Amino acid sequence: MDNKYTFSTDKTHLTIYNDDCLMVLKDIKDNTIDLVVTDPPYRIVSGGGTIIPRKDEPKGIFNRRDIRTKDNAKNGKLFDFNSIKFSDWLPDVYRVLKPKAHCYIMINARNLKDLQVDCEKVGFIFQNILVWKKNNATPNRYYLNNCEFILMLRKENAKNINEMGTKNVLEFNNILGNKLHPTQKPIDLLEVLIKNSSNIGDIILDPFAGSGATLLASKRLSRNAIGIELDKTYFDVAKEYIKNE
């Protein structure tokens, strides 16, 4: 099938779908996923604010070449497929996770509250907020943003992470320059989350796979993984990223 790519070794099995996550998630059975790690699309408001900023505004993310159309930028969208709501996909993510399983969702400060409210509505229990401290800062009129947030949730009863000495501020260099995806996350950061909340042979799910970084981190750690990416361009990027590792 053209809309699915599978990569297998004797230690791991990875599958990525070029499809709508709302469709693929419905085919995953209840209580079968060991961990979710994902960076979903959400509205972004940049320090730059507009395509042509005022003289007193810093140049922000919307002035970069990553933006495909001016309309996307004006509406706070970084991608063509950016309209999905948290409440659209969270119920199925909760359903497919096993009891006690963890879920990590990357988010910015502006959308954190709405995300947490929607997560708790479907049954998730708040566990922690992690901070990814980066080596670069995004221009802003108020304070330079040099971090992102990771909402950590659990399904039902609590379980310990594997490395209980891990701090909740995770310091890893951001990927600068030629990114495979505008919001590509460092493999080392993803590996910490996957190591701490899963074991060898477990199944990791990323409903918004982007460049496939979660799948690649899972592969390195001998986990199995399922990724879903609606944008054909990034689906092809993820295929090559995984294949050429």
Side-chain angles (χ1 to χ4, degrees):
M1 295 174 60
D2 291 339
N3 72 330
K4 184 170 99 171
Y5 173 71
T6 299
F7 180 94
S8 295
T9 69
D10 57 345
K11 293 183 179 180
T12 189
H13 183 83
L14 311 177
T15 301
I16 183 167
Y17 295 88
N18 177 209
D19 207 337
D20 187 336
C21 70
L22 300 181
M23 302 301 294
V24 179
L25 284 169
K26 293 186 183 305
D27 291 331
I28 300 177
K29 294 181 180 179
D30 297 2
N31 307 312
T32 54
I33 299 297
D34 296 287
L35 171 65
V36 169
V37 179
T38 195
D39 184 11
Y42 48 79
R43 287 182 59 82
I44 297 173
V45 177
S46 162
T50 59
I51 289 293
I52 304 176
R54 301 192 310 265
K55 290 182 179 180
D56 63 340
E57 287 183 328
K59 293 181 179 179
I61 194 170
F62 287 146
N63 298 310
R64 294 185 350 203
R65 294 180 182 177
D66 294 332
I67 303 301
R68 294 187 177 185
T69 69
K70 290 185 179 181
D71 288 339
N72 277 355
K74 290 177 182 177
N75 293 321
K77 295 172 62 175
L78 187 56
F79 309 106
D80 291 335
F81 304 108
N82 212 118
S83 300
I84 191 168
K85 299 176 183 176
F86 299 136
S87 57
D88 292 337
W89 54 271
L90 280 169
D92 271 324
V93 166
Y94 183 83
R95 175 185 60 80
V96 302
L97 270 173
K98 294 179 180 178
K100 294 188 177 183
H102 292 156
C103 175
Y104 294 99
I105 305 176
M106 318 285 177
I107 196 71
N108 65 359
R110 184 175 295 273
N111 292 281
L112 177 58
K113 179 181 177 181
D114 290 342
L115 174 62
Q116 185 173 343
V117 168
D118 283 347
C119 286
E120 292 177 347
K121 281 181 180 178
V122 304
F124 276 115
I125 298 171
F126 170 82
Q127 191 67 60
N128 207 338
I129 292 179
L130 310 181
V131 176
W132 168 35
K133 182 181 177 184
K134 304 184 284 187
N135 66 356
N136 69 311
T138 303
N140 194 290
R141 284 175 289 169
Y142 308 109
Y143 293 90
L144 293 178
N145 295 320
N146 70 333
C147 71
E148 291 185 26
F149 300 98
I150 305 169
L151 181 61
M152 180 187 182
L153 309 149
R154 74 172 194 264
K155 181 175 178 178
E156 300 178 6
N157 296 334
K159 71 171 182 179
N160 296 335
I161 61 173
N162 293 329
E163 295 292 334
M164 288 184 281
T166 306
K167 297 177 181 179
N168 69 343
V169 176
L170 306 172
E171 189 168 356
F172 291 97
N173 289 343
N174 191 17
I175 301 169
L176 302 176
N178 295 322
K179 289 187 176 183
L180 298 176
H181 187 277
T183 62
Q184 184 180 355
K185 298 300 184 288
I187 296 291
D188 291 348
L189 171 66
L190 299 172
E191 285 184 349
V192 170
L193 308 179
I194 293 170
K195 278 182 182 178
N196 271 335
S197 292
S198 69
N199 298 300
I200 291 174
D202 281 354
I203 303 175
I204 317 302
L205 171 66
D206 186 349
F208 305 97
S211 65
T214 299
L215 280 77
L216 186 55
S218 300
K219 174 177 175 283
R220 290 183 179 181
L221 297 171
S222 299
R223 272 70 163 172
N224 304 299
I226 299 170
I228 309 166
E229 176 51 50
L230 182 57
D231 193 312
K232 180 65 162 58
T233 298
Y234 295 124
F235 169 74
D236 290 338
V237 167
K239 277 172 47 177
E240 295 304 312
Y241 194 25
I242 297 165
K243 189 188 306 182
N244 296 328
E245 161 69 0

